[in-house]
């Protein structure tokens, strides 16, 4: 449908003279037909199938409702693979013979007709931290070498009752962390502090968080693209007032700084954001047309030294942090995991992994999300991505070359 104008061509016409018996007496071509253009896709069918199978395997083994994944060239925006699980049976829809099968798919609570890669909205969790890190570096909020003692939580005194306080917890006490290690170990406390401010440490603030997430495409439509879908949300005080008729609090800033609260994004937004991390600030419009001229929505004006620091933190995460599942010998990967808690009970999570390879000269960016699994699950998107990389090493190693 998207490429119909290029593919369809133009019908020709001819004038035919027949007699009363219907026999042709003469025939003239009035307008010659014009064949439609051919389009070669950037999608590699084998690679895409492998990505789907690894997402499906982990989702079914670990009880996730669904999942999605995208791999994109950081330089051109060409999408190598894009998949959404579960899929619907396209043959059953085309045949239109098994009405019970079609009805079952239409009523399936796992929503097989939802293209999760483009229209699936998910809380991103900690995968937003590299973009906040760029923001605090660019605004000179904190020196990247300054160390913060992560004891596992911070407490904010209630301004109306000094005897009470609100505790903002981390996933564990990580000890002394600087910016690189905070990315590698996914320190919530560090990003609470540099995101919202704490004691004598200034924070980026919700306006700054909104600014830098928006720069990387969060909460915005993708312009003139096959991949245009849901826009997502970057929460702001105005958004909260309009949605809940409530004022904004410091705690809302803390939670937004770690990709929670009202933050919603799509996998395609994430893959192009992480591609911009890899290529040094070019926010590229993704395409499925092979050899298409790269379209850059904007060049993000942040010094390259800051991109280097953030990428070093993401590589450290693979070597010794939360992304060690991708510490493979055949290609150097840089990555960031995210686990976003869902609902009031917080008993379900979205599991994310995102990053790029090769680290030294980034060529491909990736984003994988597994949807609504148990909070007790220790296996998620990282396992799906690891299985996919293993398959590529055996079957498509050409994609690991710089």
């Amino acid at each position: 449908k998207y490429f119909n104008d290029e593919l369809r061509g133009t019908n020709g016409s001819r004038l035919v003279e027949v007699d009363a018996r219907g026999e042709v007496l003469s025939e003239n071509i009035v307008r010659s037909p014009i064949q439609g253009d051919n389009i070669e896709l950037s999608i590699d069918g084998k690679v895409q199938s492998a990505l789907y199978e690894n997402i499906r395997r982990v989702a079914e083994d670990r009880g996730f409702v669904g999942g999605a994944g995208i791999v994109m060239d950081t330089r051109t925006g060409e999408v190598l693979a894009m998949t959404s699980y579960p899929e619907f049976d396209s043959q059953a829809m085309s045949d239109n013979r098994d009405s019970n099968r079609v009805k079952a798919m239409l009523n399936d609570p796992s929503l097989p007709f939802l293209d999760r890669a483009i229209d699936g909205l998910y809380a991103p969790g900690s995968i937003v931290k590299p973009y906040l890190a760029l923001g605090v570096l660019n605004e000179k909020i904190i020196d990247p070498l300054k160390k913060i003692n992560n004891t596992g939580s911070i407490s904010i005194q209630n301004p109306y009752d000094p005897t009470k306080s609100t505790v903002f917890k981390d996933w564990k006490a990580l000890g002394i962390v600087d910016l690189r290690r905070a990315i590698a170990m996914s320190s919530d406390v560090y990003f609470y502090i540099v995101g919202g401010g704490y004691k004598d440490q200034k924070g980026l603030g919700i306006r700054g968080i909104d600014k830098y997430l928006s720069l990387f495409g969060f909460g915005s439509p993708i312009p003139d693209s096959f991949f245009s879908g849901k826009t997502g949300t970057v929460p702001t005080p105005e958004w909260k007032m309009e949605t809940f008729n409530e004022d904004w609090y410091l705690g809302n800033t803390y939670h937004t700084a770690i990709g929670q609260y009202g933050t919603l994004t799509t996998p395609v937004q994430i893959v192009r954001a992480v591609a911009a991390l890899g290529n040094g600030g070019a926010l590229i419009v993704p395409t499925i047309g092979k050899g298409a001229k790269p379209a850059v929505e904007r060049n993000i004006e942040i010094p390259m030294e800051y991109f280097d620091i953030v990428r070093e933190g993401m590589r450290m995460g693979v070597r010794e942090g939360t992304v060690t599942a991708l510490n493979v010998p055949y290609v150097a990967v840089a990555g960031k995991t995210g686990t976003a808690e869902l609902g009031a009970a917080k008993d379900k999570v979205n599991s994310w992994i995102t990053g790029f390879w090769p680290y030294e000269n980034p060529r491909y960016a990736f984003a994988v999300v597994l949807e609504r699994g148990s909070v007790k699950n220790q296996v998620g998107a990282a396992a799906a991505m690891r299985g996919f990389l293993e398959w590529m090493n055996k079957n498509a190693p050409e994609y690991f070359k710089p």
Side-chain angles (χ1 to χ4, degrees), residues 100-213:
N100 290 330
R101 172 67 174 147
V102 173
K103 185 177 180 180
M105 288 190 292
L106 290 169
N107 294 306
D108 190 334
S110 65
L111 304 177
F113 291 97
L114 173 64
D115 186 347
R116 287 167 161 84
I118 295 175
D119 286 322
L121 286 172
Y122 302 101
S126 293
I127 59 173
V128 305
K129 290 173 181 175
Y131 312 101
L132 264 71
L134 279 171
V136 300
L137 289 172
N138 197 48
E139 301 293 335
K140 297 179 172 51
I141 298 293
I142 193 171
D143 186 290
L145 297 178
K146 180 179 177 179
K147 293 176 169 53
I148 290 176
N149 186 14
N150 180 344
T151 60
S153 67
I154 59 172
S155 298
I156 303 297
Q157 190 179 64
N158 188 318
Y160 306 105
D161 186 349
T163 65
K164 296 181 180 179
S165 61
T166 302
V167 178
F168 296 87
K169 295 183 178 181
D170 209 325
W171 67 280
K172 68 181 292 187
L174 295 168
I176 302 297
V177 295
D178 61 10
L179 187 141
R180 291 176 178 85
R181 185 163 178 78
I183 293 172
M185 300 304 297
S186 200
S187 169
D188 288 345
V189 162
Y190 185 94
F191 283 95
Y192 291 149
I193 294 172
V194 301
Y198 183 69
K199 295 183 178 178
D200 61 347
Q201 174 59 56
K202 180 183 175 183
L204 189 60
I206 189 57
R207 299 298 180 194
I209 294 171
D210 175 55
K211 171 185 174 181
Y212 284 96
L213 290 183

Side-chain angles (χ1 to χ4, degrees), residues 29-150:
I29 295 176
V30 177
R31 184 176 66 247
S32 298
I34 300 174
Q35 185 174 344
D37 293 335
N38 293 324
I39 293 178
E40 184 179 0
L41 301 185
S42 60
I43 299 291
D44 185 318
K46 294 183 297 182
V47 173
Q48 181 161 284
S49 293
L51 181 60
Y52 176 85
E53 283 303 315
N54 279 280
I55 290 172
R56 180 200 61 77
R57 172 180 56 81
V58 176
E60 292 182 357
D61 288 350
R62 297 293 171 168
F64 287 92
V65 171
I70 308 181
V71 180
M72 186 181 89
D73 191 308
T74 65
R75 305 170 188 174
T76 67
E78 293 178 17
V79 172
L80 179 65
M82 180 181 74
T83 190
S84 176
Y85 167 81
E87 292 182 332
F88 63 90
D89 184 344
S90 58
Q91 191 62 50
M93 299 295 292
S94 299
D95 292 343
N96 198 24
R97 295 172 183 171
D98 189 345
S99 60
N100 290 330
R101 172 67 174 147
V102 173
K103 185 177 180 180
M105 288 190 292
L106 290 169
N107 294 306
D108 190 334
S110 65
L111 304 177
F113 291 97
L114 173 64
D115 186 347
R116 287 167 161 84
I118 295 175
D119 286 322
L121 286 172
Y122 302 101
S126 293
I127 59 173
V128 305
K129 290 173 181 175
Y131 312 101
L132 264 71
L134 279 171
V136 300
L137 289 172
N138 197 48
E139 301 293 335
K140 297 179 172 51
I141 298 293
I142 193 171
D143 186 290
L145 297 178
K146 180 179 177 179
K147 293 176 169 53
I148 290 176
N149 186 14
N150 180 344

Side-chain angles (χ1 to χ4, degrees), residues 2 222-228 285-286:
Y2 182 80
I222 300 173
D224 189 28
S225 171
F226 174 83
F227 297 89
S228 297
V285 177

Side-chain angles (χ1 to χ4, degrees), residues 20-34:
R21 301 182 185 86
E23 295 180 359
V24 175
L25 299 178
S26 65
E27 182 175 345
N28 295 289
I29 295 176
V30 177
R31 184 176 66 247
S32 298
I34 300 174

Side-chain angles (χ1 to χ4, degrees), residues 223-242:
D224 189 28
S225 171
F226 174 83
F227 297 89
S228 297
K230 292 292 191 333
T231 59
T233 304
V234 178
T236 61
E238 292 78 14
W239 169 86
K240 186 182 181 186
M241 180 58 67
E242 182 179 344

Side-chain angles (χ1 to χ4, degrees), residues 16 25 56 79 114 122 179 250 254 267 290 309 353 371 385 389:
V16 179
L25 299 178
R56 180 200 61 77
V79 172
L114 173 64
Y122 302 101
L179 187 141
L250 177 60
Y254 284 166
K290 190 172 182 63
I309 290 170
I353 193 160
E371 175 187 335
M385 191 64 197
L389 290 177

